Amino acid sequence: METKLRQRGGRENRRRLCATQAGRRSQPRSAVRGAPAAPHVAVGGCEAASHRLPAGGRAGRRPLRPAGALAGSDGGCSQRPGSGGRAARGRGGRGGVKRRLLPFLCCAAASSPPPLPGRGESCAGSGEAAAPSSRPAMAIRKKSNKNPPVLSHEFIVQNHADIVSCMAMIFLLGLMFEITAKAAVIFVTLQYNVTIPATEEQSAETISLYHYGIKDLATIFFYMLVAIIIHAIIQEYVLDKINRKMHFSKTKHSKFNESGQLSAFYLFSCVWGTSILVSENYISDPTSLWRDYPHTLIPFQMKFFYILQLAYWFHAFPELYFQKTKKEDIFRQIVYIGLYLFHIAGAYLLNLTHLGLVLLVLHYFVEFLFHISRLFYFSDERYQKGFSLWAVLFVLGRLLTLILSVLTFGFGLARAENQQLNFSTGNFNILAVRISVLASICLAQAFMMWKFINFQLRRWREHSSSQPQLVKKKFVTAKGKTSRKERENGINGTVTSNGADSPRSRKDKSS
């Protein structure tokens, strides 16, 4: 009996399966219980017809959504993952994998990220039938090229210290090889040395003295490169850090950098020049400024001092380009750089090194005080004492410079025995040279005094113009204030006007 019941159940199941297959063949694939056929929707350039869903799942059990519901209100290709069973199979046969990958394929065609798995997620594309996405379009970021092109203007300005240091290293490496050592020595070491043998009157050691020549230009060029490197080091590791903390304006920024560089140079030159004056006894004996002229042979420290002075002021010309100096400040800086080079080179070539060293140390000390006062003024504008001290020392420095120049050229060299022009011995002690040198020194001092007087007058005008404004403000504030009695009387007046009895009204009533 059991076997007969099993055979009958199998036959009934086969009949039901044949009925369902016949129903599928008779109905069109796009029809789902009278629903309209799903239209072809373009999603990102690829049609959804290639992924059409078959109509119906298991017959009579669970109807599928209409095509419009599957597409969604925005005309996309949204699909609820996990629904549909066998009804989600495509033309390729049994394809549960296609049903799961269909939302991701639609979104990949629409160039948008795949939706997160969940109920009702949409992957609407950017086609004509699809609605525009609410998410803003992501723009492609351009790679910012911070490094300027090689050998451009900005590249040279930013990396000028590295370029110059490489040039200086070439000369230093040349000293290591025998072929290039002779040429590199001219740039690095001092030339034209003369060895004086030891005598009984002098010390037992030999003395090396120096004179000048055309090869000094190569030495000046090398130490000009060194000055550029030191300038960049001070700027980057000292001045730029202070500027970031103080937050200066553009005008104060450039002036602060200028004063910082010059104050460091003036301090170094003053200390070194004073040590040379003390060691050579030029301060204790003023007659050494013109005695034994011409001073063709000078010690190592003296020549090296002049070489570095010329190298520093020559390096100031390319620094105008490296520091991006303003056009209105270029002429002013070129003028005073030219004045320094003219007087230092004149003292070096005319063998007036003794007088030139004394005048340089005196002038550098006064200028150092000015630039230090300027630095303190930028940090705190109430600081004015340094300028007052500088004003006094500036006038005294100009007087001392004129006195020493007149003594040297008017009395010392004018009374010398040898007053003939001789280029081989380096004697330039003639009347025309003395007058021209003295005139150039006097003109330079007069020019500086004229600039100094204009500076002081401008400060006096600014100070006098600021004082009346302060007095007016104080007067207005004092006039606007009312005394305590006036305030009380005013309050009493308002009270009496409101109906209270004042003393006068009481008297009137009594009368």
Side-chain angles (χ1 to χ4, degrees):
M1 291 295 290
E2 291 179 0
T3 54
K4 289 181 180 181
L5 290 173
R6 288 178 184 175
Q7 289 177 359
R8 289 178 185 177
R11 290 173 184 174
E12 289 178 0
N13 290 333
R14 289 175 187 173
R15 289 174 185 176
R16 290 176 184 176
L17 182 60
C18 291
T20 53
Q21 288 179 358
R24 287 181 187 176
R25 292 171 184 172
S26 62
Q27 292 180 359
R29 293 191 178 183
S30 60
V32 182
R33 289 195 178 183
H40 296 282
V41 180
V43 181
C46 62
E47 294 185 354
S50 59
H51 302 286
R52 284 182 297 184
L53 299 176
R58 293 184 181 179
R61 286 191 177 183
R62 189 176 182 182
L64 292 176
R65 289 186 183 181
L70 286 173
S73 61
D74 56 351
C77 59
S78 61
Q79 178 99 353
R80 187 178 66 179
S83 67
R86 295 182 183 178
R89 295 178 184 176
R91 289 184 178 178
R94 299 176 183 178
V97 179
K98 285 188 177 181
R99 177 182 60 80
R100 295 169 186 169
L101 294 179
L102 180 59
F104 295 90
L105 292 173
C106 294
C107 294
S111 300
S112 60
L116 294 174
R119 200 173 179 85
E121 288 292 330
S122 176
C123 57
S126 59
E128 294 180 358
S133 176
S134 60
R135 184 181 296 177
M138 297 294 290
I140 299 173
R141 295 182 180 179
K142 295 182 179 179
K143 294 182 180 179
S144 59
N145 189 10
K146 295 183 180 180
N147 295 325
V150 181
L151 299 180
S152 63
H153 170 72
E154 291 295 331
F155 179 83
I156 294 173
V157 170
Q158 292 180 7
N159 304 298
H160 71 276
D162 298 330
I163 296 170
V164 172
S165 61
C166 291
M167 294 174 62
M169 285 299 296
I170 292 173
F171 296 107
L172 294 177
L173 290 174
L175 297 173
M176 301 176 64
F177 303 98
E178 187 176 357
I179 300 173
T180 58
K182 293 181 180 179
V185 165
I186 299 173
F187 290 90
V188 179
T189 61
L190 300 181
Q191 303 298 310
Y192 304 106
N193 59 326
V194 177
T195 302
I196 298 176
T199 58
E200 296 179 357
E201 297 177 358
Q202 298 178 354
S203 60
E205 298 179 356
T206 58
I207 301 173
S208 295
L209 300 177
Y210 294 83
H211 60 92
Y212 64 85
I214 194 65
K215 293 181 181 179
D216 290 340
L217 295 176
T219 311
I220 291 171
F221 175 76
F222 174 77
Y223 287 102
M224 182 185 73
L225 301 179
V226 176
I228 293 173
I229 297 170
I230 296 174
H231 186 110
I233 291 171
I234 295 173
Q235 183 67 40
E236 183 176 357
Y237 293 99
V238 180
L239 299 179
D240 286 345
K241 291 183 178 180
I242 298 174
N243 284 323
R244 290 167 191 162
K245 292 181 180 179
M246 301 302 295
H247 302 287
F248 292 130
S249 61
K250 290 184 179 180
T251 55
K252 284 187 177 181
H253 181 80
S254 60
K255 291 180 180 179
F256 183 84
N257 291 337
E258 179 185 357
S259 296
Q261 296 287 347
L262 289 175
S263 59
F265 170 71
Y266 289 148
L267 178 62
F268 172 75
S269 299
C270 283
V271 173
W272 191 13
T274 305
S275 66
I276 296 173
L277 292 176
V278 172
S279 61
E280 298 294 333
N281 297 323
Y282 294 156
I283 298 177
S284 60
D285 188 10
T287 59
S288 60
L289 299 178
W290 59 81
R291 190 177 65 245
D292 298 332
Y293 182 82
H295 305 134
T296 53
L297 297 177
I298 55 178
F300 173 82
Q301 293 290 335
M302 179 83 74
K303 180 168 183 176
F304 198 31
F305 178 82
Y306 273 93
I307 291 292
L308 289 184
Q309 294 296 314
L310 293 172
Y312 181 85
W313 292 112
F314 271 116
H315 111 281
F317 287 114
E319 285 295 338
L320 297 177
Y321 171 74
F322 295 145
Q323 298 297 325
K324 296 181 180 180
T325 308
K326 297 180 180 179
K327 292 182 180 179
E328 56 268 18
D329 295 337
I330 289 177
F331 179 75
R332 175 182 62 85
Q333 295 194 11
I334 288 175
V335 168
Y336 80 75
I337 291 169
L339 287 173
Y340 275 113
L341 286 174
F342 177 75
H343 287 88
I344 295 171
Y348 185 67
L349 296 175
L350 296 176
N351 295 319
L352 296 170
T353 52
H354 295 182
L355 178 64
L357 179 62
V358 174
L359 297 182
L360 274 178
V361 170
L362 181 62
H363 177 73
Y364 282 169
F365 177 73
V366 178
E367 291 297 312
F368 168 72
L369 184 61
F370 170 74
H371 287 286
I372 284 292
S373 303
R374 200 180 184 186
L375 292 176
F376 282 109
Y377 174 76
F378 288 147
S379 60
D380 187 3
E381 293 185 355
R382 294 175 296 178
Y383 182 82
Q384 299 285 343
K385 296 180 180 179
F387 290 111
S388 302
L389 180 61
W390 165 76
V392 175
L393 292 178
F394 184 85
V395 177
L396 292 177
R398 305 287 74 78
L399 290 175
L400 285 175
T401 301
L402 291 174
I403 290 170
L404 292 174
S405 301
V406 170
L407 283 175
T408 303
F409 295 104
F411 295 95
L413 295 178
R415 296 179 181 181
E417 297 179 358
N418 188 6
Q419 295 189 6
Q420 295 180 358
L421 183 63
N422 191 350
F423 292 100
S424 60
T425 59
N427 187 11
F428 299 96
N429 187 14
I430 59 175
L431 182 62
V433 174
R434 291 199 302 268
I435 291 174
S436 60
V437 172
L438 186 60
S440 66
I441 294 174
C442 293
L443 288 174
Q445 304 307 309
F447 174 73
M448 287 188 285
M449 280 299 298
W450 178 68
K451 299 285 287 183
F452 171 77
I453 292 170
N454 288 334
F455 175 74
Q456 294 296 330
L457 288 175
R458 186 171 64 254
R459 284 187 62 203
W460 179 73
R461 288 171 186 170
E462 292 175 356
H463 183 69
S464 61
S465 63
S466 62
Q467 276 187 347
Q469 294 178 357
L470 295 174
V471 173
K472 287 181 180 179
K473 288 181 180 179
K474 290 180 181 178
F475 180 73
V476 168
T477 54
K479 189 176 180 180
K481 291 181 180 178
T482 57
S483 63
R484 187 175 181 181
K485 293 182 179 180
E486 291 177 353
R487 291 176 184 173
E488 291 177 356
N489 292 331
I491 293 169
N492 293 330
T494 56
V495 171
T496 54
S497 63
N498 290 330
D501 292 336
S502 64
R504 289 184 181 180
S505 64
R506 290 175 183 173
K507 289 179 182 180
D508 293 337
K509 287 182 181 179
S510 63
S511 63

